[in-house]
Amino acid sequence: MRKIMIVEDSRKIRDELSIFLSRNGYECEAPDDFTDIIELIRASNPHLVLLDINLPVFDGYHICREIRKTGEIPVIVVTSRDTELDEIMAINLGADDFITKPFNTQILLARIENIMRRVYREAPQDRLSCENFTINLSRSELEAGGKHFELTKNEIRILACLFEKKGSIVSREELMRYLWDSELFVDDNTLTVNIGRLRRKLDEAGLGQVIDTRRGQGYIML
Amino acid sequence: MKLKDYLKAKLPYFVCQSLVAVTTVLMLAVLLPGGAKVFSAFIGVIYVFGALAPLAVEYRKKSRFYNELMKVFDDLDRKNLAAEIISEPDFFEGALLYNVLRASNKACLEEINGFKTLQEEYREYIEMWVHEIKTPISSSKLMMQNRSGGADAGIAEELESIENYVEQVLFYARSSTLEKDYIIRKTSLEKPVFAALRRNSKLLIGAGVSVSARDLDLTVYSDTKWLEFILSQILINSAKYARETGALIEISAAETENGCLLKISDNGIGIPEGELPRIFDKGFTGTNGRKRGKSTGMGLYICKKLCGKLGVSISAASVPDGGTTIFIAFPKNSMTDIF
């Protein structure tokens, strides 16, 4: 399991981030004492550090510089300082990415995955599989019964979103926001059309009713 | 300083001197017997010469000083600095004036610096405060995302609008300082536009707006964070004044002769013709804003100020009940790529 060190002085954010990241399959460490933070990071040697800038004892820039002196642990700076200058400074000191608070958790997750993939050369998580079918994200295809079915950008994202939340209802709004986060600015009508087409393709693939409609609530993949 | 004016100012002096000269000459002519006419005329001429010569010298000195002062004063942008530039005069009243001017200018500068410091402190405090307040907003959002249930949607929306108001304060503080605290970098228009759309996704989706963003693959030189804020304000307005059904926002860009033009059009309720020229004014809310009761009249005002600092121009066109288009024009930039 990949380990993430959260260096953040607000206890609440620390706790909530830990909960969120643990749920998404990361091991989290979130120290609350910053006097020996650099030694702590070196000793624990995490796969990635989420680093705040305004911290007691040392500021994030200093910590970032120190981390870079001895190793290649990837660093994402997560801060409420939001100017271009802060971003340039963080990147110049060797941070791998820069996210401003308040952030969107899905975007944070995507950036973390991105860096993990790049740094640890993980095969991209591009195949989502279950009993009957596999979603191939990089080829934008649905694989079922030995056949491949091409899906459009919107369709594949909708399918992936429902797959990630398998077993729970996803509202239309949630689905749209998920698509917007991937820069697909889809409106209500388009979503309806896309879901219709997606269902037809799933049907053609012989998978039957994969996506259920819950009237007034949204969609669910069972 | 013109000779005519100078002479006019000296009129009492001339009258007195002339009276004395005429009286003296007449008295000499009457009192001295025979052949004294030429002598008294001679005395008269000497007298007149003696009275005029110092005036000529004085005029030369004074006109040199005052003409320089007036010219400098006219040419100068910051009038209070005139005394710093002119050379010190070599006559008594001039020196007096010169010293007073310099002292008053110094006092004026001190006062300005005092205000500058005050403003800077205030801005720093706002900046710090905004960063502080973002922490509880972040943790509230995180908490909500971690325990997602149906009732949270409303609170999430409110949090988003709190976030926007906080952001406005920050950018207002930034827009009114004299300092330059942005960084111009080469960027594709896609970056700030997409970021602004993503940031306001909840609001726009909630308002049922269809968005089309195309032809944005153009390069401009600007501060993306500032642009993102400006675009956010425009999008928020479009969502606020959107029509009930079939709302549409179209964002596109095109190269023009002088650079690049970004267009954000909506098909919302539009702006009454008479109010259009004032929408960028501070505190202007307009009939629409008052009807919907949610306008502070600050959003577009801050946008205009930020645009001014970034060197881009912002303007608007609107058809009541037809929609509004905001234009942002980026000038061609010959600046070399620094980054």
Coordinates of all heavy atoms in Angstrom, one line a residue, chain B residues 13-27 44 47:
Chain B
Y13 N 4.4 101.8 -7.8 CA 5.8 102.3 -7.7 C 6.1 103.3 -8.8 O 6.7 104.3 -8.6 CB 6.7 101.0 -7.9 CG 8.2 101.3 -8.0 CD1 9.0 101.5 -6.9 CD2 8.8 101.3 -9.3 CE1 10.3 101.7 -7.0 CE2 10.2 101.5 -9.4 CZ 10.9 101.7 -8.2 OH 12.3 102.0 -8.3
F14 N 5.6 103.0 -10.0 CA 5.8 103.9 -11.2 C 5.1 105.3 -10.9 O 5.7 106.3 -11.1 CB 5.2 103.3 -12.5 CG 6.2 102.3 -13.1 CD1 5.7 101.0 -13.3 CD2 7.5 102.6 -13.3 CE1 6.6 100.1 -13.9 CE2 8.3 101.7 -13.9 CZ 7.9 100.4 -14.2
V15 N 3.9 105.2 -10.4 CA 3.2 106.4 -10.1 C 4.0 107.3 -9.1 O 4.3 108.5 -9.3 CB 1.8 106.1 -9.5 CG1 1.1 107.4 -9.1 CG2 1.0 105.5 -10.6
C16 N 4.5 106.7 -8.0 CA 5.2 107.4 -7.0 C 6.5 108.0 -7.6 O 6.8 109.2 -7.4 CB 5.6 106.5 -5.8 SG 4.1 106.1 -4.8
Q17 N 7.3 107.1 -8.3 CA 8.5 107.6 -8.8 C 8.3 108.7 -9.8 O 9.1 109.7 -9.8 CB 9.2 106.4 -9.5 CG 9.7 105.3 -8.6 CD 10.8 105.8 -7.7 OE1 11.4 106.8 -7.9 NE2 11.1 105.0 -6.6
S18 N 7.3 108.6 -10.6 CA 7.0 109.6 -11.6 C 6.7 111.0 -10.9 O 7.2 112.0 -11.3 CB 5.9 109.3 -12.5 OG 6.0 108.0 -13.0
L19 N 5.9 110.8 -9.9 CA 5.5 112.1 -9.2 C 6.8 112.7 -8.6 O 7.0 113.9 -8.8 CB 4.5 111.7 -8.0 CG 3.1 111.6 -8.4 CD1 2.2 111.2 -7.2 CD2 2.6 113.0 -9.0
V20 N 7.6 111.9 -7.9 CA 8.8 112.5 -7.3 C 9.7 113.1 -8.4 O 10.2 114.2 -8.3 CB 9.6 111.4 -6.6 CG1 10.9 111.9 -6.1 CG2 8.8 110.9 -5.4
A21 N 9.9 112.4 -9.5 CA 10.8 112.9 -10.6 C 10.2 114.2 -11.2 O 11.0 115.2 -11.3 CB 10.9 111.8 -11.7
V22 N 8.9 114.2 -11.5 CA 8.3 115.4 -12.1 C 8.5 116.6 -11.1 O 8.9 117.7 -11.5 CB 6.9 115.2 -12.4 CG1 6.2 116.5 -12.8 CG2 6.8 114.2 -13.6
T23 N 8.1 116.3 -9.8 CA 8.2 117.4 -8.8 C 9.6 117.9 -8.7 O 9.9 119.2 -8.7 CB 7.8 116.9 -7.4 OG1 6.7 116.0 -7.6 CG2 7.4 118.0 -6.5
T24 N 10.6 117.0 -8.6 CA 12.0 117.4 -8.5 C 12.5 118.3 -9.6 O 13.0 119.4 -9.4 CB 12.9 116.2 -8.4 OG1 12.4 115.2 -7.5 CG2 14.3 116.5 -7.9
V25 N 12.2 117.8 -10.8 CA 12.6 118.5 -12.0 C 12.0 119.9 -12.1 O 12.6 121.0 -12.3 CB 12.2 117.8 -13.3 CG1 12.4 118.6 -14.6 CG2 13.1 116.5 -13.4
L26 N 10.7 120.0 -11.7 CA 10.0 121.3 -11.7 C 10.6 122.2 -10.7 O 10.8 123.4 -11.0 CB 8.5 121.1 -11.5 CG 7.6 120.6 -12.7 CD1 6.2 120.4 -12.3 CD2 7.7 121.6 -13.8
M27 N 10.8 121.7 -9.5 CA 11.4 122.5 -8.4 C 12.7 123.0 -8.8 O 13.0 124.2 -8.6 CB 11.5 121.7 -7.1 CG 10.1 121.7 -6.3 SD 10.2 120.5 -5.0 CE 11.4 121.2 -3.9
G44 N 16.6 114.9 -14.1 CA 15.4 114.0 -14.3 C 15.8 112.7 -14.9 O 15.3 111.6 -14.5
Y47 N 17.5 110.4 -12.7 CA 16.6 109.9 -11.7 C 15.8 108.8 -12.2 O 15.7 107.7 -11.6 CB 15.7 111.0 -11.2 CG 14.9 110.6 -10.0 CD1 15.3 110.8 -8.7 CD2 13.7 109.9 -10.2 CE1 14.6 110.4 -7.6 CE2 13.0 109.4 -9.1 CZ 13.4 109.7 -7.8 OH 12.8 109.2 -6.7

